[in-house]
Amino acid sequence: MALTPRSDDLFLVVDLQYDFLPGGKLAVAGGDEIIIPINRLGRRFENVAMTQDWHPGGHISFASSHAGAKPFEIMELPYGPQVLWPDHCVWDTHGAEFSTDIELPHTQLVIRKGYHEVVDSYSGFQEADRKTKTGLEGYLRERKFKRLFIAGLATDFCVNWTAVDSANAGFETYVIEDACRAIDTSGSLAQAWADMNAAGVKRILAGEIA
């Protein structure tokens, strides 16, 4: 059944930044393949917002910040288990910039996340300590949005956490599966879909949005 975008919908595009695209510091395979579909989807929505990973150098989630640690290892940090990443999306670097191939001129809001040095932030709603808010939920309520349609990178991390938090906050939440790509480390993609399903997130394809 086709879904028609409404005035109380928001299209939320997650982390389409150079470091997550082929050639980037934390490249997601096929990440560049979703830019044209996302541009097309964006034209169907009146309301668009984006999230942007935005880390200071020496961020706690970087493997390089921990002696002897390697990327993709999992370390227990004060707020819970943390996948350690290659340095990426460091503020004011090319890798942190949005791809210039994105054509979403009517984007109304950019939420930056991960800018506190001592806590990571996958979700567009709150940081990984699950307490520090970004302000996105308040914005959505003030604008009286009811449904979120989410696309971007990566399915199993920032898309997943954002979608689960959206559903838990009471918004009708859709992840556009073929407008996302995953990292898939240590079974993370299967776990992400399980978490999203459990939260009531709906899984759709771009062709279902008319």
Side-chain angles (χ1 to χ4, degrees), residues 191-208:
Q191 185 61 55
W193 282 120
D195 293 344
M196 286 188 275
N197 289 336
V201 174
K202 298 171 183 178
R203 187 171 174 174
I204 62 170
L205 299 174
E208 294 176 67

Side-chain angles (χ1 to χ4, degrees), residues 54-77:
W54 195 251
H55 298 307
H59 192 264
I60 197 167
S61 70
F62 295 167
S64 63
S65 300
H66 306 274
K70 295 184 176 62
F72 304 105
E73 290 180 350
I74 297 176
M75 175 176 282
E76 194 68 30
L77 293 176

Side-chain angles (χ1 to χ4, degrees), residues 14-15 20 26 28 51 53 72-74 81-85 88 113 120-124 126 128 130 150 152-165 175 180-193 195-196:
V14 175
D15 297 2
F20 296 127
L26 184 49
V28 180
T51 67
D53 232 26
F72 304 105
E73 290 180 350
I74 297 176
Q82 171 69 53
V83 178
L84 299 180
W85 304 110
H88 66 281
K113 57 190 179 62
D120 205 6
S121 187
Y122 298 136
S123 172
Q126 59 185 333
R130 315 312 286 153
I150 302 172
L153 302 170
T155 315
D156 39 345
F157 288 94
C158 297
V159 169
N160 169 31
W161 287 51
T162 299
V164 168
D165 282 349
V175 167
C180 301
R181 292 292 183 272
I183 295 172
D184 201 11
T185 178
S186 304
S188 57
L189 182 58
Q191 185 61 55
W193 282 120
D195 293 344
M196 286 188 275

Side-chain angles (χ1 to χ4, degrees), residues 22-152:
K25 302 268 183 72
L26 184 49
V28 180
D32 55 337
E33 298 168 358
I34 64 174
I35 293 176
I36 289 175
I38 282 174
N39 289 341
R40 287 186 188 132
L41 285 163
R43 296 183 194 109
R44 296 179 186 150
F45 286 88
E46 177 183 339
N47 304 294
V48 178
M50 302 177 75
T51 67
Q52 185 176 24
D53 232 26
W54 195 251
H55 298 307
H59 192 264
I60 197 167
S61 70
F62 295 167
S64 63
S65 300
H66 306 274
K70 295 184 176 62
F72 304 105
E73 290 180 350
I74 297 176
M75 175 176 282
E76 194 68 30
L77 293 176
Y79 53 83
Q82 171 69 53
V83 178
L84 299 180
W85 304 110
D87 292 25
H88 66 281
C89 296
V90 174
W91 56 41
D92 290 331
T93 64
H94 173 73
E97 294 173 7
F98 292 122
S99 168
T100 56
D101 293 327
I102 298 168
E103 297 172 0
L104 298 170
H106 56 309
T107 297
Q108 299 158 8
L109 176 74
V110 174
I111 290 284
R112 284 178 167 170
K113 57 190 179 62
Y115 51 81
H116 290 126
E117 188 174 359
V118 296
V119 61
D120 205 6
S121 187
Y122 298 136
S123 172
F125 284 83
Q126 59 185 333
E127 297 183 354
D129 62 3
R130 315 312 286 153
K131 293 183 290 189
T132 306
K133 306 293 186 180
T134 66
L136 177 58
E137 182 178 346
Y139 173 83
L140 296 172
R141 295 202 190 287
E142 187 164 331
R143 293 286 310 276
K144 296 182 169 51
F145 291 122
K146 298 289 192 298
R147 303 193 300 185
L148 262 67
F149 292 79
I150 302 172

